[in-house]
Amino acid sequence: RVVDNIGGKSPDLFLRHYLLLYSKKIMKRDIYAEIKGKYRTREQAIAFVDDLSKFSTLYSYLVRETDFEGQNKEILNVLFDDLALLNVDTQNIYLLAILYQFYSEKTKVDLEKIENAARLSETLSFRWITCGRNAQDLESIYQQAASMVMDKETPEDNFEEAQRLILDSLPSDQEFQSALQNAIIKSNRRGQYILRKIDEWQNGDTSSYVLMDPTKLHLEHIAPQRPALESDWKSRMKGELNYREVIYRIGNMMLLR
């Protein structure tokens, strides 16, 4: 059931994210040693497997094996689809804790908190990778925020405190803008994500059209990645060396059906 829930994702990755909800640092090579040392009796092992089943059900929303249903489903599904497109796994540590606290029990469902956490995670992850910052530092931020939300020692859910930690960790507007202007974007998924976000922001709610599903959109390079030998694209772009960079700038990309 756990393997089915996480779809194509690595079981090691899910196990590590689950363990990081309760431990500060777990390396991939230490996952099974940690489990073996922590769950020693039959009763502990059965309780552990039950826990994995419950958390993998929540994880299935993060890896997009399962869609949200009911109230706010459109907003949440679009949000979590965009998060998955970023291809940043470490945000799932925090969002797993959020879903556990605010979606695992019907009496405790809080869709507003889930939406706010997802939007802020999207902002942090996108700015972080655009600015080229250290991935381990990003994981530490999400792990620390998850620990706050999972903390059973305090009567409140610590949601605002966790959100504040993430907000305070954002790269500045100036750093982000400079990084985006100079970004070399070789991932079609990332280029498409950026152009979709710009398009949605420019058109707002008054747009006369809606962008197609990402699977039906194509990212096209205006100055081509592989120009014909007889073309003058490279001379127009100030030479071979400059051309290799220009073709992967966001300004050289557009979305087509």
Side-chain angles (χ1 to χ4, degrees):
R1 193 182 304 144
V2 170
V3 172
D4 287 343
N5 282 340
I6 64 176
K9 287 288 183 183
S10 159
D12 284 353
L13 186 66
F14 163 66
L15 284 170
R16 187 164 172 272
H17 286 171
Y18 166 80
L19 292 170
L20 282 170
L21 296 176
Y22 303 102
S23 307
K24 289 201 172 173
K25 279 291 173 191
I26 301 283
M27 302 299 289
K28 182 179 177 181
R29 63 175 181 268
D30 300 328
I31 291 172
Y32 291 99
E34 174 80 9
I35 291 169
K36 192 175 178 181
K38 200 168 183 180
Y39 306 99
R40 306 183 78 89
T41 68
R42 174 182 169 82
E43 289 73 22
Q44 287 174 331
I46 291 171
F48 172 59
V49 172
D50 285 342
D51 220 25
L52 287 185
S53 180
K54 177 166 55 175
F55 275 91
S56 68
T57 301
L58 298 173
Y59 204 77
S60 70
Y61 291 100
L62 305 179
V63 296
R64 307 314 293 135
E65 288 293 314
T66 307
D67 283 340
F68 290 92
E69 295 292 340
Q71 191 181 2
N72 282 32
K73 68 176 182 179
E74 287 86 1
I75 292 171
L76 291 177
N77 283 323
V78 168
L79 255 175
F80 280 79
D81 283 345
D82 282 345
L83 278 161
L85 278 175
L86 285 175
N87 210 25
V88 178
D89 290 322
T90 51
Q91 65 203 8
N92 289 345
I93 304 165
Y94 179 54
L95 294 173
L96 184 58
I98 291 292
L99 290 181
Y100 174 71
Q101 284 287 23
F102 306 117
Y103 203 70
S104 61
E105 295 178 28
K106 289 183 179 179
T107 55
K108 292 180 12 180
V109 169
D110 193 326
L111 298 176
E112 185 178 350
K113 285 181 177 176
I114 295 170
E115 182 182 341
N116 289 342
R119 290 192 188 281
L120 191 54
S121 297
E122 182 182 7
T123 304
L124 176 60
S125 292
F126 180 61
R127 286 197 178 206
W128 200 273
I129 58 176
T130 300
C131 293
R133 291 205 184 178
N134 185 280
Q136 284 298 317
D137 291 340
L138 180 62
E139 181 179 282
S140 296
I141 293 165
Y142 280 131
Q143 191 275 328
Q144 189 178 344
S147 294
M148 291 175 181
V149 173
M150 296 293 290
D151 185 10
K152 293 179 180 176
E153 301 300 316
T154 51
E156 65 278 359
D157 58 39
N158 297 326
F159 176 76
E160 296 300 336
E161 186 182 354
Q163 289 282 90
R164 173 56 56 188
L165 171 67
I166 292 176
L167 192 63
D168 290 344
S169 303
L170 288 176
S172 69
D173 290 352
Q174 185 177 3
E175 180 188 353
F176 170 65
Q177 287 166 7
S178 175
L180 186 59
Q181 284 169 2
N182 295 294
I184 304 298
I185 301 164
K186 295 190 177 181
S187 163
N188 280 5
R189 284 178 64 179
R190 189 171 164 221
Q192 189 184 99
Y193 170 87
I194 295 169
L195 290 177
R196 282 178 57 243
K197 288 295 179 180
I198 291 172
D199 191 279
E200 288 164 6
W201 173 77
Q202 285 182 326
N203 287 291
D205 296 328
T206 60
S207 173
S208 59
Y209 68 92
V210 176
L211 281 172
M212 298 175 78
D213 181 277
T215 61
K216 296 173 184 167
L217 286 172
H218 176 67
L219 185 78
E220 185 61 72
H221 294 77
I222 300 163
Q225 292 169 285
R226 290 176 291 279
L229 291 173
E230 65 273 14
S231 78
D232 63 346
W233 272 111
K234 290 183 181 177
S235 59
R236 284 200 214 181
M237 299 295 182
K238 302 177 184 175
E240 170 80 32
L241 195 63
N242 190 59
Y243 192 78
R244 277 187 236 154
E245 289 198 358
V246 167
I247 56 174
Y248 294 115
R249 296 286 176 89
I250 196 65
N252 190 50
M253 300 174 189
M254 64 183 291
L255 294 176
L256 292 176
R257 284 184 62 175

